Amino acid sequence: MNSREERTEGTGSGPVIGVFDSGFGGLTVLKALLWRMPGARFVFLGDTARLPYGSKSRRTIARYAAESARFLVNQQGAEFLVIACNTASALALDAIQEAVPIPVLGVIEPGAAAAALASKTKDVLVIATEATVASHAYAAACRTRGLRAVEKACPLLVPLVEEGWIEHPVTAEVARIYLNEVLEEAAAARQSPDTLVLGCTHYPLLRGLLEREILELSTSTAIRVIDSAEATAEAASQLVAEVSKAGAGSRTELSASGSPGNPSIHCFATDSVEKFERLGSRFLGLQVGKVELVDLGG
Ligand code: DGL
């Protein structure tokens, strides 16, 4: 095991950053955060008992997400919250902000900002869960940046990732069907997309596969794949630095960037801790180690 694969309980003395996802896909965001905030202490909660959020109603998602946020703040002392779940960010950001008295950042705005930087044609494709697509949160965030977005729900991709079928012919076939459909929808709307936004925290695991498939399918324009994890981590580190500066002299200190070295990570899940420990390392790129079971109620 090399040093990047080892999971260690670091001794970070920086701010406590709560990271929340409906499952363990949000570990892709945590991975990006580790590189930008090596001195921070991370507390991650995956609401695995109630996953998937992507097929549920706004009301239910808001309740689950607010309960999860309260756990991270009230019981784990989080000082900043990163909602590393596209569905919760799209449908419950307001509810979470109301539930906790600390700065909260979602993934939609950073994702749309990254798409705006990447796109030259100003036409983008967004693939996400059913709930995220139905909310049109990405389309709205893109519109404010002068982009036109065609959104497509890809509900089969999350279970395939959860199954660990990352490089699998079935996943490739499913991805091809969805990507073909979204490209057809864009063509029907006379759009020339050059950017594909991965609007779900599970999809970065399929990035290689999706890049290959979209390259084969898009005959006219080369399509660049954007995942919001990097953009969110960058926005989060800026937010933490701003708040820390404003409260200079407080206990919150932050190293701006560097190597994660000996990261301080504590993971909680509401169910399936063994599966989380087994598959979570793929998302994080490090061993997640012991995951604690937590009961947030029904
Ligand atoms: N974390 C969710 C997202 O990013 C995907 C999994 C789910 O449906 O709960 O949208």
Side-chain angles (χ1 to χ4, degrees):
M1 200 183 270
N2 67 35
S3 62
R4 285 218 61 198
E5 285 166 340
E6 279 168 15
R7 181 263 191 177
T8 45
E9 285 281 353
T11 51
S13 57
V16 181
I17 316 281
V19 184
F20 162 66
D21 184 28
S22 55
F24 42 77
L27 291 170
T28 54
V29 178
L30 176 55
K31 182 181 175 184
L33 286 165
L34 291 179
W35 283 88
R36 286 179 176 73
M37 293 188 261
R41 288 166 290 161
F42 294 97
V43 189
F44 183 96
L45 171 65
D47 192 7
T48 43
R50 305 189 285 197
L51 176 113
Y53 280 20
S55 53
K56 297 190 169 71
S57 67
R58 182 184 293 270
R59 193 159 168 255
T60 301
I61 294 164
R63 179 162 68 83
Y64 290 173
E67 284 168 4
S68 301
R70 278 192 209 102
F71 166 77
L72 285 169
V73 176
N74 299 342
Q75 293 185 43
Q76 298 305 318
E79 296 161 88
F80 301 88
L81 206 52
V82 178
I83 308 305
C85 173
N86 287 263
T87 306
S89 299
L91 291 109
L93 201 60
D94 291 356
I96 298 169
Q97 278 163 339
E98 271 174 34
V100 292
I102 60 165
V104 180
L105 183 76
V107 288
I108 306 285
E109 291 297 326
L117 278 179
S119 177
K120 292 199 166 52
T121 63
K122 302 299 168 199
D123 290 334
V124 305
L125 308 173
V126 180
I127 55 172
T129 64
E130 279 175 314
T132 300
V133 167
S135 76
H136 297 300
Y138 266 109
C142 285
R143 206 176 307 118
T144 60
R145 293 170 171 85
L147 302 175
R148 295 192 298 174
V150 174
E151 301 161 292
K152 172 87 191 156
C154 303
L156 293 177
L157 294 183
V158 167
L160 287 167
V161 172
E162 292 274 321
E163 193 58 33
W165 288 16
I166 305 301
E167 283 294 340
H168 193 286
V170 171
T171 312
E173 183 59 25
V174 169
R176 202 172 304 131
I177 292 168
Y178 284 140
L179 293 174
N180 203 24
E181 284 177 4
V182 73
L183 283 167
E184 280 178 5
E185 282 171 41
R190 296 182 186 282
Q191 297 190 16
S192 316
D194 63 352
T195 304
L196 170 69
V197 178
L198 307 184
C200 170
T201 40
H202 279 62
Y203 300 172
L205 266 282
L206 299 175
R207 187 180 182 135
L209 183 147
L210 293 166
E211 277 173 341
R212 277 199 312 277
E213 295 301 331
I214 197 90
L215 186 70
E216 268 188 35
L217 291 169
S218 55
T219 44
S220 50
T221 324
I223 296 190
R224 192 164 155 200
V225 174
I226 298 285
D227 97 57
S228 49
E230 291 295 333
T232 302
E234 186 57 39
S237 70
Q238 278 172 20
L239 175 70
V240 173
E242 276 164 27
V243 175
S244 304
K245 207 169 153 197
S250 78
R251 66 197 170 94
T252 296
E253 277 173 26
L254 184 76
S255 326
S257 63
S259 136
N262 185 24
S264 170
I265 305 169
H266 198 159
C267 291
F268 295 86
T270 52
D271 195 11
S272 324
V273 286
E274 293 81 14
K275 189 174 175 189
F276 191 120
E277 285 166 6
R278 196 162 27 87
L279 291 184
S281 327
R282 289 193 188 182
F283 287 78
L284 187 60
L286 295 164
Q287 293 299 318
V288 294
K290 194 98 197 100
V291 177
E292 247 181 84
L293 186 66
V294 54
D295 187 355
L296 297 181

